[in-house]
Amino acid sequence: MTNLSFKLLPREFYEPSAAEVAPLLLGHFLLRQTSQGICGGEIVETEAYLTDDPACHAYRRETTRNKAMWGKPGRAYVYQIYGAYFCVNAVCRPHGVAEAVLVRAVRPTFGVDILRAHRVVAKERDLTNGPGKLCAAMQIDRALDEVDLCDTASPLWIARNPQQAGFVKTVGPLVTTTRIGITQAADWPLRFYLDRDEWVSRRLRRAR
């Protein structure tokens, strides 16, 4: 399948708050163009990080690390964690307002052999069921920071799933709960996932 087979989400999709965009991304495709072909799949878990959010990387000021968050919407913000793993975000809000949606998990649908070659696992559900895992499998690193998710010439983009509504209905319901792995604003309900998809990273019993 070529990039001409996909219609990318338009830039205006990312102009609202990350809190609005995060649940709307569920069911659409995160896709990576590699030398071996296209790989990726449906987004099944996201987290929103907001401009007034103490857990947001851009909460205090613009830095070299978070520069992408301050740019125009529809670009990637990629950062490193634990000195070894990467996380990918979709930047939201107009230029100068720093918000982003972290993609926490995807269902491996396209280029599964490519994903498996990049990340060897015993169980397929462990291939992309976490932000660091999916970035390893899709070869997403800081070199992709600030790339345009709305441009088919980019190595990374988010494409519209024409069956998104049906997909969400099939593997839903959509669950809203608190975010994972943070200490500040840990009680804010800004994590969203599709409850019956096996690639969700973690389900909480007391989800709202």
Side-chain angles (χ1 to χ4, degrees):
M1 188 173 289
T2 69
N3 56 4
L4 297 177
S5 304
F6 296 101
K7 291 186 177 180
L8 306 194
L9 294 177
R11 198 166 312 283
E12 54 265 28
F13 180 92
Y14 303 96
E15 290 178 351
S17 169
E20 297 178 50
V21 175
L24 296 178
L25 280 174
L26 297 175
H28 291 302
F29 301 127
L30 178 69
L31 299 169
R32 172 81 162 95
Q33 297 197 72
T34 74
S35 58
Q36 295 82 37
I38 290 174
C39 62
E42 295 91 342
I43 298 169
V44 295
E45 183 182 356
T46 57
E47 285 181 346
Y49 289 87
L50 313 180
T51 185
D52 61 345
D53 177 359
C56 179
H57 287 176
Y59 178 64
R60 297 189 182 280
R61 64 187 182 281
E62 182 177 346
T63 66
T64 301
R65 183 197 195 201
N66 67 33
K67 179 183 176 183
M69 293 186 71
W70 299 87
K72 64 181 180 181
R75 289 188 175 267
Y77 167 46
V78 181
Y79 62 87
Q80 191 172 32
I81 56 172
Y82 309 128
Y85 305 101
F86 296 92
C87 294
V88 62
N89 302 253
V91 173
C92 300
R93 300 290 297 272
H95 186 279
V97 183
E99 294 194 359
V101 175
L102 170 66
V103 180
R104 282 199 55 90
V106 301
R107 171 184 286 203
T109 300
F110 303 104
V112 177
D113 289 344
I114 299 171
L115 299 172
R116 288 175 181 153
H118 296 160
R119 177 173 159 76
V120 179
V121 294
K123 298 179 180 178
E124 190 157 304
R125 75 168 303 274
D126 293 327
L127 191 58
T128 52
N129 64 337
K133 295 176 182 180
L134 73 88
C135 282
M138 296 178 69
Q139 287 194 320
I140 298 171
D141 58 23
R142 282 285 289 176
L144 300 186
D145 187 45
E146 297 191 75
V147 301
D148 193 347
L149 300 172
C150 305
D151 184 355
T152 54
S154 293
L156 181 71
W157 15 273
I158 298 178
R160 186 181 303 279
N161 179 359
Q163 279 81 48
Q164 185 255 359
F167 179 83
V168 170
K169 183 176 181 180
T170 299
V171 299
L174 188 158
V175 173
T176 302
T177 187
T178 53
R179 296 172 294 187
I180 295 173
I182 58 174
T183 55
Q184 300 187 78
D187 60 339
W188 292 21
L190 292 174
R191 183 165 72 101
F192 309 90
Y193 65 83
L194 299 175
D195 193 43
R196 286 182 289 174
D197 192 89
E198 65 179 297
W199 282 274
V200 169
S201 68
R202 189 188 307 174
R203 294 171 179 78
L204 298 183
R205 290 184 178 180
R206 295 186 179 182
R208 293 182 4 178

